[in-house]
Amino acid sequence: MSCFDGIEIHGAHGYLLDQFMKDHVNDRTDKCGGFLENRCRSPLEVVEAIVDEIGADKVGIRLSPFADYAEGGDSNPEALGLYMVESLNKYGLVYCHMVEPRMKTVGEKCESPHSLLPMRKAFRGTFIVAGGYDREDGNNAVAENRADLVAYGRVFLANPDLPKRFSLNAALNKYNRETFYIPDPVLGYTDYPFLEDTE
């Protein structure tokens, strides 16, 4: 058995647990469909089972209530997000990692009147935000108490020394989306230059 410090339950981006939660794709008529509470039943049962097995101090979850991946949107994403974080509070998860409303689909950053702030205020653990952040946006999110932490994905992939670059306010490598999710173990994953290599 491998050792690990913890896991993040993937309840976002159109994957299975997200499909249960979203009313645009969940057309079930049993106890896992219909009302919001029913649609969230299976994801919360997964959380409970994992917490019971390894402890809440090793479990986080990623959610994207506002996203519309694979046509998997929801008619009331704010109510969905709030219901989930309020329900998650009873499990004492180490964190909740939420995707910004401005990230509706892959790589498409758009203006949104919605905010994660109500979910941030309702969740009693560490709150992580993600979705199109740059250095300044991330610093502002933490300074303004909109998040405890900011997650960087694509920009971190292209900048293996991202914390150093941020601390120096240095230029960033541009990521190449065409190399994401390809089977090559090097191309697009370990071939981006470090800051020292670009000077």
Side-chain angles (χ1 to χ4, degrees):
M1 182 170 114
S2 299
C3 295
F4 61 90
D5 293 325
I7 64 161
E8 178 175 87
I9 299 167
H10 200 334
H13 304 306
Y15 288 94
L16 184 60
L17 297 181
D18 194 43
Q19 290 177 31
F20 272 103
M21 292 182 268
K22 304 281 183 75
D23 63 6
H24 290 180
V25 288
N26 182 344
D27 56 4
R28 298 172 66 116
T29 57
D30 61 6
K31 67 179 183 174
C32 295
F35 296 110
L36 178 61
E37 296 80 4
N38 287 354
R39 296 193 320 268
C40 295
R41 180 186 312 270
S42 288
L44 292 170
E45 287 176 352
V46 167
V47 168
E48 183 172 10
I50 294 172
V51 165
D52 287 350
E53 187 65 31
I54 66 172
D57 62 325
K58 294 181 180 72
V59 181
I61 190 166
R62 181 171 168 105
L63 300 171
S64 60
F66 294 92
D68 192 7
Y69 291 85
E71 300 177 4
D74 193 79
S75 61
N76 192 344
E78 188 165 297
L80 170 59
L82 277 169
Y83 180 80
M84 280 301 291
V85 297
E86 288 167 353
S87 298
L88 291 167
N89 281 333
K90 75 176 185 179
Y91 299 105
L93 299 188
V94 98
Y95 68 83
C96 179
H97 179 182
M98 276 210 176
V99 179
E100 283 288 348
R102 64 188 177 193
M103 302 303 291
K104 291 261 187 213
T105 59
V106 175
E108 183 184 326
K109 187 174 169 180
C110 61
E111 291 298 318
S112 174
H114 303 288
S115 167
L116 295 179
L117 198 53
M119 284 129 261
R120 194 289 193 262
K121 289 179 178 177
F123 188 66
R124 292 195 296 259
T126 298
F127 195 76
I128 304 171
V129 293
Y133 279 92
D134 61 21
R135 179 182 180 272
E136 185 178 354
D137 286 343
N139 285 338
N140 288 341
V142 173
E144 295 165 6
N145 201 27
R146 290 183 280 125
D148 295 303
L149 299 166
V150 177
Y152 295 90
R154 296 175 296 269
V155 70
F156 215 138
L157 183 65
N159 297 276
D161 52 357
L162 187 64
K164 180 177 182 179
R165 287 177 188 256
F166 276 4
S167 71
L168 298 172
N169 201 18
L172 302 178
N173 297 322
K174 301 229 183 294
Y175 58 83
N176 180 358
R177 183 173 290 285
E178 291 178 17
T179 63
F180 291 179
Y181 312 113
I182 62 172
D184 190 305
V186 175
L187 182 65
Y189 289 98
T190 61
D191 60 340
Y192 287 103
F194 285 81
L195 191 56
E196 299 81 37
D197 301 335
T198 61
E199 294 174 342

